[in-house]
Structure formats: C-alpha cells, structure tokens
Amino acid sequence: MTQRLVVKFGGTSVADLDRIRVVAGRVAKMAGDGTQIIVVVSAMSGQTNQLVEWTSSFGQLHNSKSFDEEYDVVVSSGEQVTSGLMALALQELGHKAKSFQGWQVPIITDASHSKARVQDIDKEVLENALAEGYVVIVPGFQGITEHGRVSTLGRGGSDTTAVALAAALKADRCDIYTDVEGVYTTDPRLVPDARKLDRLTPEEMLEMASLGSKVLHTRCVEIAMNYGVKLQVLSSFIDKPGTLITDEESGVEKPVVSSVAFSKNEAKVTIYQIPDKPGLSARIFGKLAEENVNVDTIVQIIADQDRHTEISFTVGVHDMQRTQEMLEVLRAEIGFSHVSAEGNIAKVSIIGAGMQSHVGVAQKMFQTLADNNINIELISTSEIKVSVLIRQEHTDLAVKALHDAYGLSGSGL
Ligand code: ASP
Ligand code: MG
C-alpha cells in the first residue's frame, strides 16, 4: 500500500528562502519512493508576531467580534506566503506540487475567531490532488467558518492543522518538524542535561502540552489521541529520529516519571468564606468562563463547622486583575467574605504514565522540594501527573532538583 505522511514544518524550519529550499529537498526525498506527502507549513518565524502587532495598533476595536474576524484575515496570511513558496521550491526540484489554502480545502472551523476549533475537513480536493501525484501543501493555522469567513486556530495552531489533516486523510503518521530534536525530559534551556525522549504516550504528551511545555499545541495532541494518529516530533535541521508519540507498546516498561513541566506567570486566587450551598461554584466559574478567563487547577477546602468553604484556583497572571474585579461584582450576590490574589506563582509538574502503578512518587516530589526549602502552595494530581504551585523565584531550582531526583538527567534510564 502507498504510504501517506503529513509533514509539518514550523516557523524556524521555513524562516527564509534558503530554509524553504532545504525543507523542500527533504520533502522531495520523502516523495521519491511514491509516498504521498501532505506538507503543512507555519509562517516564517517572527512573521505572525509582526502581523499580530499590526492588528494591535487598532486596539480600541479589541474585544469585538468584527475585530477578531479581521485579525484572522491578517494573521493567517503568513502561512499563505510560505505555502506558495514551498510549492514553488518543490516545483523547482521537478516535483508536481500545489498549495491549497484553508478555505480551498476547505477546513471548516467553528466561529470563535482567533481560537477556532476544526469541525470538519473536506477530503475530496486533497485526495484528488494526491491521486494525481501532487505533493499537496496546506498552510497551517487557517480555516473557514460556516459563514465563509477566514478563521485561525490560536497561536501555535499549525500543529493542529497537521494532525487534523492526518486524521481526516488517514495518514500513516504525522511528523512535526521543528528546531529541536524532539520532546525533552524538561526544557533544555533550563536544564542543559535534559534528555530527548524516544517515545511518550499521548496521555503524557497531553499533560506536558497543557502543563506548560511549548513543544506542541494542546489541541493537536487531543486530536492525535482521539483519532489514534501516530505523531513524531523531530528536527528539520538534522537527520535523526525524534520522539514518537504513540500508544503502541514498546516492550520497555513505562518510566514512572518521564518529564518535568513548568509554567511561570501564574496567579493564585482564593475566595474565602463561601456559603456551602449548591450552585455557587457553578455561578463563580460560569461568570469567569463567560468572560473568557481560562481557569486552571481548582481546589476546594471542605466546609468548616459553620458551613463555609474556601476555593483556590489559578489563572494566567495577565487575567489576575480582571478576575479580581469580576469576583468583586459577585461578592454581594454570592455572599463570600473576600478574595485574595497573588501573582509570581509557578506551576511545576511531574508527568509519567508509569506513575499509576507505583507508590511514593508524589512523596518523593514533596521531599525533594522540602529538601530545597521550597514551600508548596497548592497540590493537584491526576492519574499520571502531580502538580504543585510554588513561588515563581523557586522554579529553576525546583525543576532542576526534580529532574535529578527522578533520574532524568544525562544518560539516565
Ligand atoms: N504562525 C502561527 C503562530 O505563530 C501558527 C503556528 O506557527 O503554529 O502562532
Ligand atoms: Mg509551534
């Protein structure tokens, strides 16, 4: 059977004409044995930031639907440029290559402009081009709403385009080419002896993406998981296998902890003396959701004797003030006593699929932090991760210490 691959190249991999030609050379090689290739490209690195900046000079229009619609028109254009250039670079190498913009495929999304979700992909146009022997190039990040307006999938969304295409077209694999060799045990900029992982389960990758690792767009991993798309993250700058993200058994026991993730710039908000009555959490978080505040880690304290509870949660530090203001409005209505908020919070997490079948994993984390005199402000867990909130200034120390404590450094496992 003919192999079919989706290959996605990030911004640094298509940063200029030279890089585009290098990448086209790689694609030409892959296509050489008859493998069908769908190339997904990001904008040249830095380009999307520039486009976003141009729209933000119309800041007074911000927060309106009509602003978001035109924002998408502007910021989606970076990918249009690289898709056409990639097609030309492949043609220069003697290949049949054709680009299809998001609206030409079409990639249908919902109408939440600037952070749209893919709803449906029409396969016909691409299937026909592949059958005619074309290398097909699709700009990442773009879609079209059912109202016929251009949409974008949120920053970093090209990964999601790639995996959604791989799911729709039943590709054998989706390779995400970037400027690092794969997924690491933690950020190598912080811990120089962090190791590249050979493989990860989709669940681990999803936790990593949502807990602050910037390697892949979270939605991309969700789609890969839901549709069973085999993903690989690898470098376009060297010729080496990367990190494979798959459920397939490798024969090697799953590591108890495979990575340490962190995100700085969090804020912790606590609401005190909330009457212990049904429906109040729904009101509080309903209000925040309505205002598009992304709430993370939520912890509720068990009600005390006079039937009051306390809720703590985190939000991005940029949303802290807005959150406080919104809660202030709810205070009289709901009847809680007061709200406190502190920025300068970081979330540090250990992640590992093998954690489910081992004891003492969380304890080791707490002990390691204690040994380093780092106070834990809040703890939350799932089956395959433990997260703690700590003061931001301790992030580097905590990450390094945990990375060591779980044996992730150097040649490690
Ligand atoms: N160009 C878009 C961005 O910079 C999408 C992407 O590269 O994934 O966010
Ligand atoms: Mg990216």
Side-chain angles (χ1 to χ4, degrees):
M1 268 242 314
T2 320
Q3 274 259 108
R4 181 176 279 187
L5 285 182
V6 173
V7 292
K8 180 257 170 180
F9 294 94
T12 47
S13 301
V14 294
D16 53 37
L17 289 173
D18 285 345
R19 288 294 313 158
I20 289 175
R21 285 195 165 98
V22 168
V23 166
R26 266 185 104 137
V27 172
K29 246 199 222 152
M30 296 173 205
D33 63 358
T35 300
Q36 294 183 330
I37 309 281
I38 300 100
V39 183
V40 174
V41 284
S42 284
M44 292 177 179
S45 58
Q47 196 59 44
T48 310
N49 288 346
Q50 171 69 75
L51 296 167
V52 169
E53 202 181 304
W54 283 337
T55 65
S56 61
S57 81
F58 300 93
Q60 73 280 12
L61 304 174
H62 244 245
N63 289 329
S64 69
K65 184 150 190 320
S66 50
F67 174 86
D68 290 346
E69 277 191 34
E70 300 311 330
Y71 167 96
D72 279 351
V73 171
V74 176
V75 303
S76 63
S77 66
E79 272 75 6
Q80 171 155 348
V81 173
T82 44
S83 67
L85 291 172
M86 184 62 71
L88 290 173
L90 280 159
Q91 289 171 14
E92 186 177 65
L93 294 172
H95 275 266
K96 283 170 79 175
K98 202 186 260 194
S99 71
F100 295 92
Q101 303 307 295
W103 62 269
Q104 289 171 309
V105 174
I107 297 174
I108 313 276
T109 72
D110 65 15
S112 35
H113 284 278
S114 82
K115 48 179 175 313
R117 284 166 76 99
V118 176
Q119 287 184 326
D120 193 27
I121 294 181
D122 198 328
K123 297 186 282 281
E124 198 184 330
V125 175
L126 299 183
E127 285 288 5
N128 289 343
L130 289 168
E132 286 168 27
Y134 281 97
V135 173
V136 160
I137 299 107
V138 179
F141 189 46
Q142 312 180 338
I144 183 167
T145 69
E146 57 178 6
H147 311 293
R149 304 293 299 170
V150 171
S151 54
T152 63
L153 308 183
R155 296 306 305 271
S158 291
D159 297 339
T160 297
T161 306
V163 83
L165 284 169
L169 297 168
K170 304 205 171 9
D172 294 283
R173 207 177 55 237
C174 179
D175 284 343
I176 307 277
Y177 283 89
T178 172
D179 52 6
V180 291
E181 286 180 36
V183 181
Y184 283 72
T185 48
T186 194
D187 187 342
R189 280 168 301 189
L190 188 68
V191 183
D193 59 356
R195 270 182 316 114
K196 190 204 84 185
L197 292 156
D198 292 333
R199 56 161 65 220
L200 275 170
T201 67
E203 290 78 10
E204 287 173 309
M205 189 64 235
L206 186 61
E207 292 284 9
M208 283 181 82
S210 45
L211 291 170
S213 142
K214 302 218 166 44
V215 195
L216 288 177
H217 200 226
T218 308
R219 183 78 190 123
C220 156
V221 190
E222 273 171 19
I223 296 176
M225 212 159 99
N226 294 343
Y227 292 86
V229 177
K230 203 191 234 188
L231 269 179
Q232 185 179 202
V233 178
L234 69 175
S235 167
S236 73
F237 292 80
I238 51 161
D239 199 359
K240 263 193 186 170
T243 303
L244 202 59
I245 297 149
T246 174
D247 260 335
E248 280 168 19
E249 292 295 329
S250 69
V252 181
E253 201 187 334
K254 293 193 175 98
V256 176
V257 170
S258 53
S259 64
V260 181
F262 60 92
S263 58
K264 296 180 176 177
N265 303 324
E266 308 251 349
K268 183 177 87 168
V269 180
T270 305
I271 310 174
Y272 296 90
Q273 293 268 313
I274 310 168
D276 189 24
K277 283 196 299 212
L280 296 188
S281 292
R283 288 254 282 290
I284 293 169
F285 293 108
K287 172 82 179 156
L288 296 175
E290 241 170 61
E291 302 288 334
N292 244 323
V293 173
N294 199 358
V295 175
D296 198 44
T297 320
I298 305 175
V299 174
Q300 175 174 337
I301 314 288
I302 293 172
D304 58 19
Q305 272 150 1
D306 45 301
R307 319 268 334 133
H308 282 92
T309 81
E310 217 174 276
I311 294 178
S312 288
F313 58 92
T314 57
V315 295
V317 78
H318 55 279
D319 278 333
M320 182 173 97
Q321 206 190 333
R322 219 154 55 89
T323 303
Q324 275 178 289
E325 285 163 12
M326 277 184 265
L327 290 173
E328 206 40 54
V329 175
L330 284 182
R331 189 155 69 98
E333 186 189 321
I334 291 186
F336 53 79
S337 68
H338 66 288
V339 174
S340 75
E342 50 177 328
N344 285 322
I345 295 285
K347 180 162 61 180
V348 176
S349 313
I350 53 168
I351 300 160
M355 195 178 282
Q356 295 171 83
S357 49
H358 283 76
V359 294
V361 181
Q363 203 282 333
K364 186 184 218 168
M365 179 184 206
F366 306 148
Q367 190 60 52
T368 305
L369 296 171
D371 292 345
N372 285 279
N373 244 325
I374 298 171
N375 191 44
I376 300 173
E377 312 244 340
L378 195 147
I379 300 170
S380 77
T381 64
S382 80
E383 281 179 347
I384 64 161
K385 71 118 203 263
V386 183
S387 298
V388 295
L389 296 188
I390 59 173
R391 307 274 327 154
Q392 199 181 78
E393 61 265 28
H394 297 141
T395 317
D396 295 12
L397 177 61
V399 172
K400 284 187 185 123
L402 291 168
H403 195 262
D404 266 352
Y406 290 100
L408 297 175
S409 300
S411 54
L413 305 164

